Amino acid sequence: MQKIIILDFGSQTTQLIGRRVRELDTFCEILPYNKFPADDPSVIGVILSGSPFSVHDPQAFRVDLSQFVGRIPVLGICYGAQFIAHEGGGKVERTNTREYGRANLQSFDKENPLFEGFDANSQVWMSHGDTITAIPADCHAIASTADVKYAAYASDRHPLWAVQFHPEVFHTTQGKDLLRNFVVNICGSRQEWSPASFVETTVAELKQQLGDDRVILGLSGGVDSSVCAVLLNRAIGDRLTCIFVDHGMLRKNEFNKVMDAYKGLGLNVIGVDASQKFFADLEGVSDPEQKRKIIGRDFVEVFNAEAKKITDAKWLAQGTIYPDRIESLSITGMVIKSHHNVGGLPKEMHLQLCEPLKWLFKDEVRRVGYQLDMPERLIKRHPFPGPGLAVRILGDITPEKVRILQEADDIYIESMLQYVCEDGEVLYDKIWQAGAVLLSTVRSVGVMGDERTYEHPVALRAVTSTDAMTADWAHLPYDFMAKVSNEIINKVRGVNRVCYDISSKPPSTIEWE
């Protein structure tokens, strides 16, 4: 299959470039800046990402451009554009102020294939501290803004283009057009990457990979593991055994709801209620990282004990997706974020690893779910943390605190599922992730009837995002928030105050712990 290689120089938006290319039904792979696969004949184009570095920094990432320039089409973005200019004899200089934010293309070469279909004064998004003040002798400018002379340039000798703005971000209004021009028109993508082709190819590969072997899969109730299970079930049928562990900190009635949903899909699922063990081991523990470690350790113990009963199993399947793998190892080899699906296998299990979704972004997983005719309620589920409500309870964990939070969270989420916005879309579907947080280390004064209360506040959290790398707080309708607040305070014993979290990521995280 044809592919675009995206060389990652450390930009925060590299994943977004990948998502945009995939939206063009073209397979792409994000690789460290120094890992270009020179011998891969399926590569039809290369994109160089942005970077937190200046080309003048001693630690700046560098690549040998001769590996691909002149051989296949190349597009440099921001740092990529500056690096190409710098290496080609041009000049990149520091500016007194960062060129950051919206700008408009005052002029561009309408005849250049990169800008085919562009409108006059098309808006772009700049984000750089250096700027190109001279381009290589064998290049010519193809776009400029009021402040940036070389907003884009192209080579006279090679299929090479470079832009100092970010076409992958939302604020570049015709960014997708530019990427389509490069990927489809210039590189010649046949646009073969689709949910249907992925399902067909993956099922065939799984049948060949797994043969008659038995596979174990840990289910979480989330969209990734659910799609993974249905995909495997289509390939190997009842030779797949799924294990769903209830650690006692799921959402209200979630264990039974999810088990019923899985049975409706014809999956072979073993449900394990291990809540007593988790609560006992968490007693008195309030440190967030310690809570996570205890839950992770106990989950592995419970899962392994159940998995060992399936003596003929040879594979462990996981719902690892592409962002999990990118986040877990940076281009410098330093771990950015440890992820539960990329930590390797316990040695005592003696199982091989199977990851059918390892090349997919989250939105692609959902598209595959639709292709597999899965229930919409499973496909559209918001992400939910592995430790569950334990990371949404500040302080130590008790069954009573979990009960309080489950009740408040249930009112919040169910109200969101029932609220229809003015545009006709259900509010829940507009949100990337939502949930309630119990501030169990805080008590606030309230009045209910003629009585003074001294109970806990609940904070509501809702964010919009595309990949959870960054997130904005959701501007929920006031009438919705008023209704939810009143209902929580009136119906959930132990809560007398409701707050709304209006912080974005960064600087905050989506979860409180």
Side-chain angles (χ1 to χ4, degrees):
M1 180 180 291
Q2 295 176 318
K3 70 171 73 167
I4 297 289
I5 293 296
I6 300 168
L7 293 181
D8 182 14
F9 288 83
S11 170
Q12 291 185 343
T13 59
T14 300
Q15 277 199 44
L16 199 50
I17 301 172
R19 287 170 51 83
R20 295 290 178 259
V21 173
R22 294 281 185 88
E23 288 170 2
L24 297 169
D25 298 325
T26 303
F27 183 68
C28 68
E29 189 172 350
I30 298 173
L31 295 174
Y33 67 96
N34 57 353
K35 299 294 183 182
F36 177 73
D39 299 325
D40 189 342
S42 65
V43 179
I44 60 172
V46 179
I47 298 176
L48 279 60
S49 82
S51 175
F53 294 117
S54 161
V55 294
H56 300 295
D57 291 341
Q59 69 271 39
F61 299 133
R62 292 172 171 80
V63 64
D64 179 4
L65 295 173
S66 66
Q67 296 177 91
F68 40 81
V69 170
R71 301 182 183 185
I72 50 178
V74 177
L75 173 64
I77 295 176
C78 196
Y79 174 89
Q82 294 173 357
F83 178 76
I84 293 170
H86 181 70
E87 291 292 294
K91 185 177 291 186
V92 178
E93 296 183 292
R94 297 187 186 277
T95 57
N96 293 327
T97 58
R98 284 175 55 86
E99 292 166 345
Y100 182 84
R102 295 175 178 85
N104 295 92
L105 296 181
Q106 286 194 335
S107 64
F108 61 88
D109 184 354
K110 296 179 181 179
E111 302 302 317
N112 193 283
L114 195 66
F115 290 108
E116 182 180 335
F118 261 58
D119 302 326
N121 294 312
S122 186
Q123 179 180 287
V124 297
W125 183 264
M126 297 286 185
S127 179
H128 53 265
D130 293 352
T131 194
I132 298 170
T133 55
I135 56 178
D138 61 350
C139 294
H140 63 280
I142 56 174
S144 64
T145 69
D147 299 315
V148 181
K149 181 178 180 180
Y150 300 110
Y153 65 90
S155 170
D156 300 321
R157 296 192 300 131
H158 304 302
L160 181 150
W161 291 261
V163 296
Q164 285 203 85
F165 55 87
H166 287 270
E168 70 274 20
V169 303
F170 172 79
H171 299 296
T172 297
T173 53
Q174 291 186 275
K176 190 170 182 178
D177 294 332
L178 185 147
L179 290 172
R180 181 187 293 107
N181 288 338
F182 178 73
V183 171
V184 180
N185 300 343
I186 294 173
C187 296
S189 168
R190 294 190 293 267
Q191 297 182 281
E192 301 168 316
W193 179 257
S194 67
S197 67
F198 174 81
V199 170
E200 181 182 356
T201 302
T202 304
V203 168
E205 290 174 349
L206 288 170
K207 287 180 177 178
Q208 184 175 2
Q209 177 187 20
L210 304 174
D212 296 326
D213 294 345
R214 184 171 293 280
V215 179
I216 300 171
L217 169 67
L219 285 175
S220 67
V223 62
D224 299 339
S225 67
S226 299
V227 170
C228 183
V230 174
L231 199 59
L232 279 161
N233 186 56
R234 181 166 294 193
I236 64 172
D238 60 7
R239 293 197 305 281
L240 170 68
T241 301
C242 304
I243 300 173
F244 183 26
V245 177
D246 180 6
H247 50 38
M249 287 154 285
L250 300 173
R251 283 182 157 135
K252 183 179 179 181
N253 300 326
E254 184 172 23
F255 183 71
N256 292 330
K257 288 179 181 177
V258 172
M259 286 294 291
D260 289 343
Y262 286 146
K263 288 175 183 175
L265 291 170
L267 298 176
N268 175 26
V269 184
I270 298 171
V272 184
D273 182 357
S275 54
Q276 289 188 349
K277 172 180 174 58
F278 282 85
F279 280 126
D281 290 348
L282 286 167
E283 185 175 356
V285 178
S286 58
D287 178 75
E289 192 61 26
Q290 193 175 355
K291 285 192 285 188
R292 286 179 177 271
K293 288 180 178 178
I294 291 171
I295 293 169
R297 180 201 68 199
D298 283 5
F299 179 86
V300 170
E301 289 179 6
V302 173
F303 182 87
N304 287 357
E306 204 62 42
K308 286 177 181 177
K309 298 176 185 178
I310 308 169
T311 56
D312 57 343
K314 295 184 179 179
W315 297 84
L316 175 69
Q318 292 186 156
T320 313
I321 64 175
Y322 200 30
D324 298 337
R325 300 162 61 214
I326 298 170
E327 288 177 356
S328 297
L329 194 65
S330 76
I331 57 178
T332 60
M334 183 181 297
V335 173
I336 297 173
K337 171 185 173 184
S338 59
H339 191 276
H340 63 282
N341 275 352
V342 241
L345 297 173
K347 293 180 180 179
E348 65 273 14
M349 290 188 72
H350 304 293
L351 297 176
Q352 300 177 75
L353 186 60
C354 176
E355 298 174 301
L357 308 180
K358 64 183 180 181
W359 292 111
L360 299 187
F361 289 97
K362 177 72 77 174
D363 56 331
E364 292 176 313
V365 175
R366 291 194 167 103
R367 290 169 63 195
V368 168
Y370 282 115
Q371 183 67 36
L372 292 167
D373 295 322
M374 291 175 60
E376 197 167 53
R377 66 182 180 276
L378 279 179
I379 297 172
K380 288 189 172 181
R381 282 172 63 90
H382 289 176
F384 188 67
L389 299 179
V391 294
R392 294 180 180 175
I393 297 175
L394 274 60
D396 64 329
I397 309 298
T398 67
E400 174 61 12
K401 290 179 181 179
V402 171
R403 179 201 66 78
I404 292 172
L405 186 53
Q406 282 178 333
E407 295 291 339
D409 179 82
D410 187 62
I411 290 171
Y412 183 35
I413 298 300
E414 287 302 314
S415 298
M416 195 171 280
L417 284 164
Q418 294 168 15
Y419 189 93
V420 179
C421 301
E422 291 182 358
D423 61 3
E425 189 175 358
V426 174
L427 180 58
Y428 182 90
D429 296 339
K430 290 177 173 283
I431 305 300
W432 170 267
Q433 188 169 348
V437 180
L438 179 64
L439 282 63
S440 70
T441 57
V442 177
R443 287 185 180 273
S444 66
V445 175
V447 177
M448 293 185 180
D450 294 324
E451 296 183 2
R452 176 181 180 275
T453 62
Y454 194 53
E455 296 177 331
H456 300 296
V458 160
L460 303 181
R461 181 78 157 135
V463 298
T464 57
S465 181
T466 55
D467 51 19
M469 299 296 288
T470 60
D472 292 324
W473 62 276
H475 294 230
L476 300 179
Y478 286 165
D479 61 329
F480 168 81
M481 289 197 289
K483 177 181 178 296
V484 169
S485 175
N486 288 337
E487 194 169 347
I488 289 174
I489 292 172
N490 290 333
K491 292 184 177 180
V492 183
R493 181 168 296 181
V495 176
N496 67 355
R497 191 178 298 270
V498 174
C499 310
Y500 187 58
D501 183 347
I502 59 169
S503 50
S504 296
K505 174 188 179 181
S508 301
T509 55
I510 294 177
E511 300 295 342
W512 277 43
E513 290 194 343

